[in-house]
Amino acid sequence: MDSNKMNRNDVEKWLESHPEDATNIFTAKATPDMVDQWLAKRSSRKSLQDIGWASESSPTAVHPGERGTHHMLQSFRNVRKSFAGASGSLRSLLSPRKRKLHRRNKSALRQLDEKELFMELIRDIADELDLNTLSHKILSNVSILTNADRCSLFLVRHVRGDKEERVLVSKLFDVTENSTVEDALHSEEEEIKIPFGQGIAGHVALTKETVNIKNAYEDPRFNPEIDKKTGFRTHSILCMPICSHDGEVVGVAQVINKITGSHEFTQKDEEVFRNYLTFCGIGIMNAQLFEMSVNEYKRNQMLLQLARGIFAEQTSLDSVVHKIMSEAIELMKCKRCLVFILEEHEMSRLRRLEQCCLEGTTKIIGKRDTPPSLSRENSDNRDHSKRPTKQPSEETLKSIGFLKAFDLSNNDKDKVRDAGFEILHRSVNSDMAKYVAATGETINISEFDAQTRFKPVYDIDKEFKIRSVMCQPIYNSEHKIIGVAQMLNKFCNKTSVGEDFTEQDEKLFEAFAIFCGLGIHNTQMYEDAMKLMAKQAVSLEVLSYHASAQVEEVDRIRRYTIPTCDDFKLYDFKFSDFDLSEDQTIQASLRMFLDCNLVTEYHIPYEVLCRWLLSVRKNYRPVIYHNWRHAFNVAQTMFAMFKSGKMEKFLSKLELFVLLVACLCHDLDHRGTNNAFQQKTESALSQLYSTSTMEHHHFDHSIMILQTEGNNIFQFLSAEDYRVALTMLETAILSTDLALYFKKRNAFFELVEHRDCEWAKEEEKGLLRGMMMTACDVSAITKPWEVQRKVAELVASEFFEQGDLEKMQLHETPIAMMDREKKDQLPKMQVGFIDAICLPVYKVFSDLWPGLNPLHDGVKRNRDNWQAMADGKLSDA
C-alpha cells in the first residue's frame, strides 16, 4: 500500500484486520486521557452497554464484524490496570463503573436464585450516591424482581413555608426496560406533584399501606387520564412506601403491568418488593444526605467567593451595594433587585441638633442610629411560617424611612440606578420593605397578584409587573437592621420561565445577607469617618477664620439708642443699605426684632440678642456679594412683607421669629462659590452634604452659633416650640436653594390657583414660607434701577471669580453667567433670570396680596431696563 495515499479508512481497515498489532499499539502508546475519552465514548453506546452488563464469563455472542472491537475490549481490561495510578480523572471514571462493567445482564440475573439475585441488586445500589442514578437503578432492579413492564418513583417533598404539609414529586416516571436516566428524569417544570392522600400513590404515602390492584380501571383512586394521553393501557398496579430507618415515608415506588404469568402481582412479589425497598430507603436517605452535603459545600464556596468580592471594595456605599446586587441577581436567578438603606431614625439628625442646643454642648453630628425595634433580638426572623405575626401599626410603618434605594435589572447589571422618589416612598416595593424593616420577617410571595397584604400601585412602574418576590432584612454586626433587600421575579436559567423563590433560596440569601450587612455597615463606617474628618477640617477652618463677638462690641451695641423703623426706612420695599454703617445694620436688625415684639414675646435677653447678631455678622466672609449685607437686605425684605405687605396676619409669632433668623443666617460662611463648584472640586463640604451642599452648611453653622455660650436666642422657648423652630429654620434655609425652589413652586402655584387655601395647614404654610424665602433672597431684582444695577454688578463679579477658579483649578470652561469673557451678555442673562425665577413668584404674591405689588412692579421695571440694555436702547454707562 502506498503510504503517501493512505487515509483514515485505510488505517482503520488495517487495524481491524490486525487486532493483535492494534492492541500492542494501544497498550504502548495510549495516554490516560485517551483511555478516558475511549471509555466515555464507548460507554454511551448501547452496544457497549450490553457488553458492559455482561460478565467476562458470560456467553455473549460477538458479531463477526465486531471481533476487532471485542478483542480490543478484552485487551483493554488488562491495559486499564496499568493506568490506574496514572490519572486521577481516570480512577474517578473507572471506580464507579467497575461494578457496572462486571454486573450481569438481565437474562443472567433472572437465572440466579432468589437469594443471589437479591444480594446482587442490593450490592448494585449500595455505593451509589447520585440520587438520580440511584433512583433509576432502584426502578430497574424492581422491574427485574417483579417482572414489571414499567415503574415510577415518587419522592417526598415538604411544601415551602409549611413543615407539616408534604407532597409526592415524580422523580422518575414510567421507567421501562430500555429507558435511560435522562429519558425518565423529570425536570422541575415537568414534575407531577401528588398531595398525600390523593390517588393511589398519595394513599400509600399517607397510610404506609401496600396497594396491589389487579384491575386498575376498577379502582376509583386510579386516574385514567395518563393512559389516554400516552396510549398505554394500565392493567395491574403494585404500589409500596419507601421508609427511612425511623419509619418516615421518604418515597413511593410503583410498578405497573406484570409481564409474566397471569399479569397480576402476587403475594410473593409483594414480599420481595417490600424487602428490597427496605434497603432502598436507606440508600435514598444516604443519597439525599450526600446531596445536601455537596450543596452545602457549593453554597459555602459560593458565599466565600461573594464575601471576597464584597469586602474587596469598601470605600463607596454605591460600589458595595452594586456589587451586592449583581451577586444577588446571579445567586437568586431573579429579574430585578432593589436594596433599601434605612435612614437615621431613633434620634434623627435634627433631634440631635436640638438636644445639643438645649444641653448647651457640642456633639458630633452624623452618628448613625437605628431604633431598638429594628434589632434581631426584638424581631427574630427564623421559622416565620410557624410563629404568629403581629401586624405592625401604621404609626410604626410611617416612622420608618429610607435614606436611599438602589435598583438593578438583570438586563443591565453594569448600571445600578437610584430608585426614584415614587418607588422610595409611595410604591408597593417600599411598603414591603417597611414591613420587613419593622418586623424582621422574610416575605416570600409566589403569586403576587393573588395576595392581598400589599396593595400594588401599578402606575408607579408600568413597565415592570411583579410576579414573585422575596424580601429580607439586612443586619449589621450589631444585629440591627440597616437595610432591606428585595428580589423580584425568579426565573429558570434554561427556559426563562418564571419560578417561585424556594425555602432553600431564603436560607441561602439569609446567609448571603450577613455578608451584605457587614459590607454595607463597614462602608457606612468608612463614609462616616470620612465625613467626620471633613467636618473636622471645616470646623478648624471656621474656627481659624471666624471669631465670636467680643464683650466690648456687645457693650457698645447695647448702649445705642435704636432708631425707629421709619428712620431706617425698614417698611419700604425700595430700602437700600448702601448708606448705612456696619453698626447701623446691627441696630436696624435689632429694630426689626423689637418692632415684631419678639424680644418680649419670647423673653430674649437683650444682651444675648446683641451678641448673637454680632456673631452672625462675624461669621460671614467678606466675599463680594453673599456677605452680611446681603443677609441683612434679605431680612429687611422679609420684615417689609410682614408689615407693609400685611403677611404677618397669616403667620404665627414663632414663624415671624424663625423667618427673620433664617434670613439673617441663610448664607452663613458663604465662600463665594455655588453648590456645583463644591461638588466639582470634591471639597470637604461636598463630602458632608451630597445635596443642597451650601444650604446645609449654612444651617449647621447657624446651629453652631446657637450652641456657642451666650448666643442661644431660642433658650426660653418651650421644648415643643424649640423643636418646631429648628424644623422651620432648617426648611427655610434649605428653601433658598433654587433647585428646591423649582421642585416646590408648581405645588405652590397649584395651591394658589384653587383660591380656597386659608394657609392653616402646616403643609400649606411650609410652602408659603419657602416661597417667601425665595422672594426675599432675590429681592435685589425689585429695587430701584440704580440699586439693582449696582447689585447685579456685585453678583456678576462674584460669579466671574468662581469662573476664574474653574478655569484654573478644574481646567473647564465655565457657564456663560460665570465666564468673564461673556460679561457683555449680562443684560440678556438678567432678563432670562427674571423670566425664569423672579416674575412668576412675584406675580403670584401680587395677585394674592396687593400689599406686595411693589415687588412685582419693581421687577417688571428692571426687566424692561435690562431688555432695553440688551437691545442697545439703554446705555450701560
Side-chain angles (χ1 to χ4, degrees), residues 601-639:
E601 180 77 19
Y602 294 106
H603 311 291
I604 308 171
Y606 191 67
E607 179 181 352
V608 172
L609 181 59
C610 293
R611 184 179 296 106
W612 177 80
L613 283 169
L614 287 167
S615 297
V616 168
R617 186 181 71 180
K618 283 182 175 291
N619 279 270
Y620 273 95
R621 300 190 181 207
V623 293
I624 299 175
Y625 176 68
H626 288 96
N627 49 40
W628 161 252
R629 293 271 177 167
H630 165 65
F632 169 68
N633 277 282
V634 172
Q636 184 276 326
T637 303
M638 182 67 76
F639 178 77

Side-chain angles (χ1 to χ4, degrees), residues 326-342:
S326 299
E327 300 288 2
I329 282 181
E330 285 294 321
L331 187 65
M332 295 292 107
K333 300 293 183 289
C334 60
K335 291 287 187 182
R336 187 177 175 188
C337 175
L338 287 94
V339 172
F340 294 82
I341 305 296
L342 277 170

Side-chain angles (χ1 to χ4, degrees), residues 182-223:
E182 292 74 17
D183 293 336
L185 188 65
H186 272 190
S187 65
E188 290 188 16
E189 293 79 23
E190 299 170 325
E191 284 179 347
I192 300 172
K193 294 183 175 66
I194 304 174
F196 271 42
Q198 292 187 15
I200 296 171
H203 172 80
V204 170
L206 182 65
T207 63
K208 300 183 184 178
E209 298 175 354
T210 296
V211 172
N212 189 344
I213 303 172
K214 302 185 184 306
N215 189 338
Y217 280 84
E218 293 179 356
D219 194 300
R221 295 167 297 185
F222 176 68
N223 181 6

Side-chain angles (χ1 to χ4, degrees), residues 391-401 431 434-436 438:
Q391 184 73 18
S393 65
E394 285 294 324
E395 184 179 351
T396 300
L397 293 175
K398 286 182 180 178
S399 68
I400 295 172
D431 290 343
K434 286 180 180 179
Y435 180 90
V436 170

